[in-house]
Amino acid sequence: FKNIAIISVSICVVLAVLGLTEANKRDLKFNELKVNIDVSDGNFFVDELDIESQVFAKGYQEGKEPIANIDLRVLEDQFDEMPSVKKAEVYSTLDGMLKVEIMQRIPIARVYTRTSSFYLDKAGYVMPLSDKYTAKVPVVNGDLNIDYSVVEGQNFAAPNELMKINFESRKLHEAYMLAKKFKEVPFWDAQFKQIYFKEDGDIELIPAVGNHVILIDGMAQIDESLTKLMILYKEGLSKTGWNNYRVINLKYKDQIVCIKR
């Protein structure tokens, strides 16, 4: 019985503290807004003013509004709907501070089609351009005839129904897979600045170093192609020069075809 009594008293104390905390929270004023935006990937699509303006536009005033009156879920959903935001977290502290944590989407390629331009992000979704910041990512262009409005909301990380019926969507899947592949290796990430889709179906990679184009057959045998290219860079071009060839063709198995300038 003694143990039961101790547990009962402990529960009552906890409930009393929680009740007191809730009562204090109802009276506690919203006294500060703290915004933290993750810029560790070097992107600056969202700034503190973007977030602050939306909070204050709701009528929430520092020093006047009880912190309990702030609808955290509504604010969080509103920030999540921002095109450059991957995830937002909004919460309040026991001392009256409203905290907003913003994780930005990470673009890995910028696509230019005949009608529009947009990003492909790390998760495989299309992402609109920003008027305040331009990401330094590889360019994808060439024979691409698809509008942003058609692919908005689609995910290109894996084949889907749209890709089965739309060849242009399959190209975006290919572009995403290539950009993601290059992003995994710092050397290729720095070397490949452009992915160009030719009308005949071939894909050209435009390097940052070397006055040549690299011809590949999409993701087919991409690991073998990159291995061959690395060998050529280390054992061939490093000795003969980076500008002796205008085309390096990696489409053929177990060989490299180079066309001299």
Side-chain angles (χ1 to χ4, degrees):
F1 291 109
K2 184 177 180 181
N3 290 338
I4 295 175
I6 293 175
I7 293 173
S8 298
V9 170
S10 298
I11 292 174
C12 290
V13 170
V14 170
L15 291 176
V17 171
L18 290 175
L20 183 61
T21 300
E22 286 301 316
N24 290 340
K25 192 173 181 179
R26 284 194 295 271
D27 297 330
L28 187 65
K29 300 297 183 184
F30 162 41
N31 58 49
E32 186 179 356
L33 173 61
K34 179 68 174 179
V35 179
N36 180 43
I37 301 171
D38 184 2
V39 295
S40 58
D41 286 290
N43 294 306
F44 300 91
F45 294 105
V46 183
D47 59 34
E48 292 183 8
L49 184 59
D50 294 327
I51 304 302
E52 292 171 352
S53 61
Q54 293 191 53
V55 172
F56 297 131
K58 291 287 187 182
Y60 300 135
Q61 300 182 52
E62 293 182 2
K64 296 182 179 181
E65 187 79 23
I67 195 74
N69 287 0
I70 297 179
D71 195 325
L72 305 180
R73 178 57 62 85
V74 168
L75 284 175
E76 198 168 272
D77 290 344
Q78 186 170 317
F79 298 142
D80 280 339
E81 290 177 1
M82 295 174 66
S84 299
V85 172
K86 180 181 180 181
K87 179 61 181 173
E89 291 186 8
V90 182
Y91 56 95
S92 59
T93 65
L94 294 177
D95 58 358
M97 181 184 292
L98 180 66
K99 288 193 171 183
V100 181
E101 305 279 347
I102 298 292
M103 182 180 295
Q104 298 181 92
R105 295 170 67 183
I106 303 173
I108 61 172
R110 179 170 178 173
V111 180
Y112 289 86
T113 73
R114 294 177 182 175
T115 58
S116 54
S117 181
F118 49 86
Y119 293 114
L120 283 169
D121 78 1
K122 189 175 180 180
Y125 290 96
V126 296
M127 173 181 169
L129 302 182
S130 168
D131 58 3
K132 68 170 55 180
Y133 177 75
T134 301
K136 296 178 180 178
V137 292
V139 167
V140 178
N141 61 350
D143 187 34
L144 296 172
N145 187 24
I146 193 166
D147 195 77
Y148 178 83
S149 61
V150 175
V151 295
E152 186 176 8
Q154 291 288 324
N155 185 278
F156 293 92
N160 57 35
E161 291 301 315
L162 181 62
M163 294 178 212
K164 293 179 181 178
I165 60 175
N166 191 307
F167 182 62
E168 298 298 321
S169 291
R170 291 201 295 274
K171 292 180 184 177
L172 290 186
H173 168 65
E174 196 94 40
Y176 166 77
M177 295 300 292
L178 287 170
K180 181 174 178 290
K181 184 73 175 178
F182 301 152
K183 197 74 177 174
E184 294 170 354
V185 180
F187 178 81
W188 298 131
D189 186 38
Q191 176 69 338
F192 297 135
K193 296 303 181 185
Q194 185 177 355
I195 301 171
Y196 186 85
F197 285 81
K198 300 178 65 178
E199 292 184 2
D200 61 9
D202 285 343
I203 299 176
E204 289 181 345
L205 304 179
I206 313 299
V209 179
N211 189 18
H212 54 260
V213 298
I214 300 155
L215 205 59
I216 64 171
D217 192 19
M219 283 299 292
Q221 307 297 323
I222 187 63
D223 290 323
E224 179 187 335
S225 296
L226 292 178
T227 298
K228 291 189 297 186
L229 184 60
M230 182 62 77
I231 293 172
L232 177 66
Y233 279 170
K234 289 182 176 180
E235 300 181 9
L237 300 191
S238 62
K239 299 175 182 177
T240 63
W242 288 76
N243 299 316
N244 285 351
Y245 302 103
R246 61 181 179 86
V247 177
I248 297 174
N249 190 337
L250 304 175
K251 291 174 57 179
Y252 304 106
K253 187 173 178 60
D254 299 326
Q255 61 178 312
I256 303 174
V257 178
C258 297
I259 301 176
K260 286 191 173 183
R261 186 163 303 285

